[in-house]
Amino acid sequence: MFRNPRRAALLLAAGAAAAGAGHLLDRGDSATVVTVSASAPLRHLLSTAATGLFSSNPLFAPWQGVFTGGFPILNSFACASVPPANLSNHASGGNSDDSRCCPGCLGRNSIANAAAAVGPAVVNISCMQENGWLREKSLGSGTIIDPDGTILTCAHLVTDFQSTKPGLKGKVSVSLQDGREFEGIVLNFDHHSDIAVLKIKSKTPLPAARLGSSCKLRPGDWVVALGCPLSLQNTVTAGIVSCVDRKSSDLGLGGIRREYLQTDCAINIGNSGGPLVNLDGEIIGVNVMKLRDADGLSFSVPIDYVVKIVEHFKKNGRVVRPWLGLKMLDLNPMVIAQLKERSSSFPDVSKGVLVPMVTPGSPAERAGFAPGDVVTEFDGKPVETIKEIIGIMGDKVGVPFKVLVKRANNVHVTLTVTPEEADASR
């Protein structure tokens, strides 16, 4: 059958390994690994041929135990083209998904599966506003997050941002993917975050999407955006996370500090309020805006922040934000080095939050804060970022906090500050 016994041995060794669907290890050098794969018929043929040849040819006697029982086979299908169970499906052009055999990988169905998981819960929202003889209609999207009909969306879709006293625009209509239409009731809204909660009443439970977490997102993670851009219902776009903590100040937005997820998903008028979804089919953000005349620059409110807003709605009926009157800046080694170059009296710190400015008449000024202070502890807890300080304060207004600061020439000072509730003008 084989004229060259040595070549026959190597060929059949590879065939036997393929028949076992694994890695071939050279016993003379454990570091040598050859990965092989073969179709089911070929594996059977090679395995049969190898068994017959080994049993009848003394040349292979030293290897017989290795191939028939002692061969160290490792499952190699984790990254093979198709796992054994899907061979017939693959051969016939089926929809095998590589992500199943490689968790975390982007398979051919990953985006489709994520969209299918959330799609039925995505709704179209329209709001008609009458202003004298003018009638204006705003269009957007939302997501049902509870089978009872609770919907997450954007505040600017259902409220009048231009009024000095923001109020509801008018009648809200909600359309589901299955064609059903409902009248929406605005339960709560918050203009600073641009988040609103609606409610529709249905006699039967409604499809609801799962909430995920945005804290573990990384730049480069795949995401999917769903909504109704330009009145085109049931539109799905995909992209990656470009930045996980784009600050509102970076976008020229004043007022209370906010952070956004920046993505390159295609977002247009009508996508506002729709969900940003991870590949597990979980909501990780609410799409709120894009930069005008710019492609690939879209922004979403992180779902972890949205969840806190909803908790405020349930607890207080509104979002309560403590206000100190401090302009703050996170410190890092590069910033600290630059500040020490400018002034030798800058405090000797490796981390903390710098206070460049104190608002006159604010709780912080009354507490004794001064420009140049570095906050190292807040309420007895070491802090490195503004986000940590905001998290410690929560919704505590009128509650005093002890703050440890370092000043020029390493002077330590303990201050007590009592936050006030922020208003719309701050």
Side-chain angles (χ1 to χ4, degrees):
M1 181 176 179
F2 296 95
R3 294 182 180 180
N4 189 324
R6 293 182 181 276
R7 294 180 64 184
L10 292 174
L11 176 61
L12 290 175
H23 296 287
L24 174 60
L25 305 181
D26 185 346
R27 290 212 164 182
D29 180 4
S30 60
T32 303
V33 181
V34 180
T35 303
V36 294
S37 63
S39 65
L42 180 58
R43 291 202 306 271
H44 177 73
L45 175 63
L46 291 173
S47 178
T48 304
T51 302
L53 185 60
F54 293 149
S55 61
S56 60
N57 196 327
L59 175 64
F60 299 101
W63 293 86
Q64 185 171 357
V66 174
F67 288 109
T68 58
F71 188 77
I73 295 176
L74 303 176
N75 186 1
S76 69
F77 279 107
C79 292
S81 57
V82 183
N86 289 341
L87 282 172
S88 59
N89 187 26
H90 181 73
S92 61
N95 293 325
S96 63
D97 190 348
D98 295 339
S99 62
R100 295 180 181 177
C101 58
C102 184
C105 297
L106 181 69
R108 68 173 68 184
N109 294 325
S110 298
I111 292 174
N113 290 340
V118 180
V122 178
V123 300
N124 303 323
I125 298 173
S126 62
C127 186
M128 186 65 70
Q129 182 181 16
E130 295 187 6
N131 185 9
W133 55 275
L134 291 177
R135 300 184 69 187
E136 298 179 357
K137 187 176 184 179
S138 59
L139 298 173
S141 309
T143 315
I144 303 172
I145 58 172
D146 192 294
D148 69 358
T150 302
I151 298 173
L152 270 182
T153 188
C154 280
H156 73 256
L157 292 178
V158 295
T159 62
D160 186 0
F161 265 47
Q162 298 179 354
S163 174
T164 54
K165 293 185 178 180
L168 302 181
K169 283 185 176 179
K171 183 178 179 180
V172 178
S173 297
V174 178
S175 302
L176 275 62
Q177 282 198 10
D178 59 15
R180 287 182 290 172
E181 294 188 3
F182 299 86
E183 181 177 351
I185 301 172
V186 180
L187 298 182
N188 292 100
F189 62 88
D190 176 61
H191 274 190
H192 287 292
S193 61
D194 199 8
I195 294 297
V197 176
L198 312 183
K199 186 71 174 291
I200 58 176
K201 295 181 180 180
S202 173
K203 295 180 180 179
T204 58
L206 297 169
R210 302 191 313 271
L211 299 183
S213 176
S214 53
C215 66
K216 294 183 180 180
L217 286 175
R218 301 173 301 168
D221 281 344
W222 281 93
V223 287
V224 182
L226 296 89
C228 179
L230 305 175
S231 300
L232 301 175
Q233 299 184 6
N234 311 329
T235 297
V236 178
T237 61
I240 62 169
V241 175
S242 305
C243 179
V244 296
D245 56 356
R246 179 64 65 203
K247 296 175 178 56
S248 54
S249 57
D250 296 339
L251 304 176
L253 302 175
I256 295 174
R257 171 193 172 99
R258 287 149 291 173
E259 291 183 350
Y260 298 96
L261 300 174
Q262 179 184 332
T263 75
D264 68 350
C265 292
I267 299 295
N268 291 284
I269 297 173
N271 273 114
S272 293
L276 187 70
V277 180
N278 61 21
L279 294 186
D280 292 325
E282 300 170 332
I283 301 176
I284 47 90
V286 176
N287 299 318
V288 293
M289 62 181 172
K290 62 167 289 186
L291 291 188
R292 183 176 297 176
D293 300 327
D295 295 326
L297 292 174
S298 305
F299 302 92
S300 306
V301 181
I303 196 62
D304 292 348
Y305 182 53
V306 174
V307 168
K308 291 180 180 179
I309 290 171
V310 174
E311 290 175 351
H312 277 264
F313 286 159
K314 293 179 179 178
K315 181 180 178 181
N316 307 305
R318 68 187 192 285
V319 179
V320 177
R321 293 182 175 89
W323 178 68
L324 297 176
L326 292 174
K327 184 175 180 62
M328 296 182 283
L329 173 70
D330 294 345
L331 290 178
N332 58 47
M334 183 179 68
V335 174
I336 292 173
Q338 291 177 344
L339 292 173
K340 285 187 175 181
E341 285 181 4
R342 294 180 184 178
S343 174
S344 59
S345 63
F346 186 80
D348 185 17
V349 295
S350 59
K351 54 189 176 182
V353 178
L354 177 66
V355 177
M357 186 179 74
V358 181
T359 303
S362 66
E365 186 189 48
R366 294 194 295 269
F369 279 90
D373 286 349
V374 177
V375 178
T376 57
E377 288 186 11
F378 199 94
D379 198 30
K381 302 177 182 65
V383 291
E384 300 180 29
T385 64
I386 303 170
K387 187 181 295 186
E388 290 175 335
I389 294 176
I390 294 174
I392 293 171
M393 288 193 296
D395 61 355
K396 298 173 183 175
V397 172
V399 177
F401 292 94
K402 286 190 175 182
V403 184
L404 180 62
V405 301
K406 268 191 176 184
R407 288 179 172 166
N409 300 314
N410 296 318
V411 175
H412 291 256
V413 179
T414 300
L415 306 173
T416 301
V417 61
T418 304
E420 297 177 359
E421 183 173 355
D423 58 37
S425 63
R426 291 167 181 160

